[in-house]
Amino acid sequence: QQASSPRLAQFDAWIDMYAGEDFANEVHDFIRMTDVAAQSASEEIRACMKEHFLMSVKLEHMFWDQAANLMEWPAIGVTVGEQNNNDGDDTIKDEP
């Protein structure tokens, strides 16, 4: 398990929002609204709701996983083979 890093001040408001009671109440309200909507929805709609929920969970996991593993984005606009040209110029140039 990784050691905790000091909390950076620029993230305080964001972290506090998710940790706050107001956010928790909104989440519970949304869960209740979703449950009510699902009760009167057709099987087809409930299956679609489940599919969207599962995708959102996967995307959330991917978001935090890439942060935890310090994922680097691929170079865009660089021809394959030019990414590691070791010329000291890390500028990404658009293709003509």
Side-chain angles (χ1 to χ4, degrees):
Q1 185 174 1
Q2 294 178 320
S4 295
S5 298
R7 189 163 122 172
L8 301 174
Q10 67 262 35
F11 298 118
D12 281 351
W14 181 71
I15 292 168
D16 290 344
M17 179 191 72
Y18 284 102
E21 188 176 334
D22 287 342
F23 184 78
N25 289 336
E26 287 198 29
V27 169
H28 290 118
D29 287 346
F30 189 78
I31 290 170
R32 281 190 289 275
M33 288 187 298
T34 304
D35 287 344
V36 167
Q39 288 173 359
S40 62
S42 67
E43 285 296 321
E44 181 182 358
I45 294 296
R46 278 197 296 274
C48 187
M49 291 170 77
K50 180 179 178 179
E51 183 180 325
H52 287 285
F53 173 76
L54 292 174
M55 178 57 75
S56 71
V57 170
K58 290 175 186 178
L59 292 171
E60 185 77 7
H61 169 77
M62 290 168 62
F63 171 80
W64 290 108
D65 184 64
Q66 65 86 25
N69 292 303
L70 304 176
M71 182 192 92
E72 292 186 27
W73 289 94
I76 297 172
V78 175
T79 303
V80 175
E82 290 181 3
Q83 290 182 15
N84 297 316
N85 60 10
N86 297 322
D87 65 0
D89 181 9
D90 292 328
T91 304
I92 297 177
K93 299 164 186 71
D94 289 330
E95 297 288 336

